[in-house]
Amino acid sequence: MPVSRAALGFLGLFFTAGALLLMWLTFLGGVRNTNPLNQIYFLQVDTSNIPGAPALSRWTWWNLCAVENGDSQCGSSHPDYPFDPPSHRNFNTEENIPRAFIGTSHYFLTSRFSWPFMIIALFFGVISFFTGMLAMCTRIGSYLSALMAWLALVFQIITTCLITAVYVQGRDHFNANNQRARLGVKAFAFMWTAVACWMLACLMYCMGGSVGRKDRGYSGRKQRRRGFFSSTRQPSVERNKEVAP
């Protein structure tokens, strides 16, 4: 049984909403000290041997948070907060900081560049959500939603790859320095699941736009041919009737 455009548009809208929810949860992680935002972070490190640092530290897009009773306790928020342990933005010391972080701007730049790409992905994602309502009833709405979802997917992939690369490298450097570190499971699970949701949304919107196209085109040509022959045959039939005795 063929699937209708409305059903495919609804599925596309469902995956779009799911992707946006996961992206917003990750994006806002650490903004407030309330559940679930205080459970979403990119990296947790044992920084008890770093002067002036809390016993456990967590990095988010907004700040560097201490950990108390398993929850993040974050101070004031700073948009596009960098991952740069020795700098004044983080710990402001090189003591007990892994050597790989010292004298390089790689981690600072990579972590900060992920922020604007995330903003762009959210921008196109929100547009895709609103046009997705039209995708349930119009072909142009389906294709427009597919385009916006595809752009959101591209920038979401870039963002997710950047933060995955920089924080995996950071985790490995801290572990090699005998400072126990682990990735934030929720943040990375949300980001990669959002990538999968955008892929499915693009597929649903494109399928919705192509529903019924071939059937209507063929039936239209068939109808025009039938109209042509009926119009040319009718006079000859009448003439035959007049000639007949």
Side-chain angles (χ1 to χ4, degrees), residues 169-182:
Q169 291 173 355
R171 177 202 61 185
D172 293 342
H173 293 322
F174 276 113
N175 282 329
N177 200 45
N178 295 320
Q179 294 165 293
R180 187 175 180 182
R182 63 184 178 89

Side-chain angles (χ1 to χ4, degrees), residues 151-172:
L151 290 172
L153 169 63
V154 170
F155 287 103
Q156 175 67 10
I157 290 175
I158 295 173
T159 304
T160 306
C161 288
L162 286 174
I163 63 170
T164 300
V166 72
Y167 284 108
V168 166
Q169 291 173 355
R171 177 202 61 185
D172 293 342

Side-chain angles (χ1 to χ4, degrees), residues 5-6 8-17 19-20 121 123-154 197-209:
R5 178 179 294 121
L8 291 169
F10 176 79
L11 286 174
L13 190 62
F14 173 79
F15 288 119
T16 297
L20 285 173
F123 172 77
F124 286 116
V126 171
I127 294 178
S128 179
F129 177 79
F130 287 109
T131 58
M133 299 178 185
L134 299 175
M136 292 186 285
C137 53
T138 64
R139 176 177 289 116
I140 190 172
S142 296
Y143 286 135
L144 181 60
S145 299
L147 175 61
M148 295 298 104
W150 181 81
L151 290 172
L153 169 63
V154 170
C197 286
W198 282 124
M199 290 181 178
L200 292 171
C202 289
L203 179 61
M204 294 299 107
Y205 287 138
C206 288
M207 290 175 63

